[in-house]
Amino acid sequence: MRVKTIALKNNIASLKNCLNDCERIFFELFKNINDLSNYWKDSYTTAFFDVMNKEQSLAGDLIQNIKKLRKTYIFIYDEYSGYGRTFEIDTSLKDTTLKSFDNYIDNIDKILRIYKSIPITEFKDETELLEKNKESFKNNKKAVLSMKNTVRKVYESVDSVELEVKRRLKAIDIAPIEQYQFENLDVIDITSGRVGISSEVLEILDRIEALSNDQTENLNKFNNTFRDLLISYDSVNNEIIEDLELEINTAVNNLINNNKNIILYVKSRYKEFEKADKKVKKITDNFEANQPKW
């Protein structure tokens, strides 16, 4: 695995910016969508706004899950930033690496046994040198044991961190967001109140379209940031992250497409009322024209 800590920190900041923009745009979008109810009421509006309320709830859940993903990246950064600008380790070599330390220590022990077997009393002139060399090997053994312990702790720490990252990622549940076509909305008869649609909806739809375009641009930034995050944090958890980011991309993209369908649908309802108004006006004009002159 490889963690580029400085790049990861910068990408986390970029993700925060994208998230803030996404949250702001969603707030403005649903505010405008809800404002449509002030200027449009017919047998379809109840079902339409029920769908919108459901979508708003799903969009809110999506934002919270993206925040969880960002917090997971912050956790990763906090755990690995102490290792320097770039931390790289092959966790599959853990056993082999630790075994190599054991082999080296075994060889030192063999040498120390040889020193122990030498009858120092027979080599009085060399005694000081032999003791010095023997002590040097003992110190080497201590150094290697310390190094092995440090490496072992690093491997254990990485294993622990990656397990926790996996747990956090698995806890993120991106609910799918459907693409709505609106043509098959339930019809609910209006028994009281004014029925109709006013031209103000066209201004609101223009704002919805502009916000939808902003969200499309923001989605591109999201995707670029996700790509960079995968480069700055390359680990055994990549597949889980890629799946989550694909689900986020799909959900946001479906919301954008739904906004386009909202615009088309409400405009079609506006045109229907326009046609109906023209028919009523024509009938009224014909009726008045055919009235007898007194």
Side-chain angles (χ1 to χ4, degrees):
M1 65 167 292
R2 181 173 58 253
V3 184
K4 298 179 179 179
T5 55
I6 302 301
L8 181 60
K9 183 179 180 180
N10 293 334
N11 292 329
I12 290 170
S14 297
L15 182 58
K16 182 180 180 180
N17 292 334
C18 290
L19 185 56
N20 289 342
D21 286 342
C22 186
E23 195 166 15
R24 173 186 58 80
I25 293 169
F26 276 153
F27 176 82
E28 291 295 330
L29 269 169
F30 287 107
K31 179 180 180 297
N32 279 279
I33 289 171
N34 290 328
D35 283 347
L36 288 171
S37 64
N38 296 323
Y39 306 102
W40 168 39
K41 184 178 181 181
D42 63 18
S43 56
Y44 296 97
T45 48
T46 299
F48 175 86
F49 287 109
D50 282 347
V51 171
M52 289 299 95
N53 286 336
K54 177 184 176 184
E55 185 171 274
Q56 186 171 1
S57 177
L58 289 171
D61 289 343
L62 176 64
I63 291 292
Q64 293 307 312
N65 279 307
I66 299 174
K67 287 181 178 180
K68 287 181 183 177
L69 178 60
R70 180 175 174 272
K71 286 181 180 178
T72 302
Y73 275 119
I74 292 173
F75 170 77
I76 293 166
Y77 172 78
D78 289 342
E79 292 297 321
Y80 291 126
S81 58
Y83 291 108
R85 296 177 65 90
T86 300
F87 172 64
E88 190 165 0
I89 187 169
D90 189 341
T91 53
S92 67
L93 295 177
K94 176 183 175 181
D95 292 340
T96 303
T97 302
L98 295 178
K99 183 65 177 175
S100 67
F101 280 110
D102 289 337
N103 291 337
Y104 192 83
I105 292 167
D106 285 344
N107 287 330
I108 293 178
D109 284 338
K110 288 177 182 177
I111 294 171
L112 288 174
R113 283 196 293 272
I114 292 172
Y115 272 102
K116 191 175 181 180
S117 67
I118 296 175
I120 295 177
T121 54
E122 296 181 15
F123 302 95
K124 293 181 181 180
D125 295 339
E126 290 81 12
T127 297
E128 185 177 343
L129 178 61
L130 288 171
E131 286 293 343
K132 186 176 180 180
N133 288 344
K134 182 180 176 182
E135 196 62 30
S136 176
F137 278 109
K138 284 183 177 180
N139 290 335
N140 283 344
K141 180 180 178 180
K142 289 179 182 179
V144 175
L145 282 169
S146 176
M147 195 180 302
K148 176 194 172 184
N149 190 47
T150 299
V151 171
R152 178 180 55 77
K153 286 181 178 179
V154 170
Y155 274 116
E156 288 175 352
S157 175
V158 169
D159 288 342
S160 177
V161 169
E162 293 308 300
L163 281 173
E164 176 60 15
V165 170
K166 183 178 181 179
R167 186 193 68 78
R168 293 185 181 212
L169 292 173
K170 287 289 188 179
I172 300 174
D173 184 20
I174 309 295
I177 296 177
E178 302 173 38
Q179 286 196 40
Y180 301 117
Q181 300 302 324
F182 302 107
E183 283 81 5
N184 299 316
L185 289 175
D186 293 334
V187 176
I188 299 174
D189 292 333
I190 304 297
T191 56
S192 64
R194 179 179 176 274
V195 175
I197 190 167
S198 59
S199 59
E200 282 85 353
V201 299
L202 299 178
E203 296 176 12
I204 295 173
L205 293 176
D206 285 342
R207 293 199 292 270
I208 290 173
E209 184 173 16
L211 288 165
S212 184
N213 290 337
D214 289 344
Q215 196 66 291
T216 300
E217 183 178 341
N218 193 46
L219 179 59
N220 291 331
K221 292 178 182 177
F222 257 128
N223 290 334
N224 290 336
T225 301
F226 286 151
R227 181 201 63 213
D228 292 341
L229 281 165
L230 281 169
I231 294 173
S232 57
Y233 170 66
D234 181 13
S235 77
V236 293
N237 289 310
N238 274 19
E239 187 175 343
I240 303 173
I241 294 174
E242 286 173 349
D243 288 343
L244 280 173
E245 291 173 354
L246 178 60
E247 290 172 1
I248 292 170
N249 179 291
T250 301
V252 176
N253 206 38
N254 283 349
L255 285 167
I256 292 169
N257 288 329
N258 283 344
N259 295 333
K260 295 175 182 176
N261 289 333
I262 287 168
I263 294 167
L264 293 173
Y265 178 70
V266 179
K267 280 184 176 180
S268 73
R269 296 302 303 147
Y270 184 81
K271 289 178 182 178
E272 287 294 320
F273 275 99
E274 268 191 328
K275 288 179 184 178
D277 284 344
K278 287 178 182 178
K279 285 181 181 179
V280 171
K281 187 176 185 303
K282 185 176 181 181
I283 292 170
T284 302
D285 290 345
N286 288 339
F287 177 79
E288 290 178 351
N290 291 324
Q291 291 300 305
K293 308 298 181 187
W294 300 100

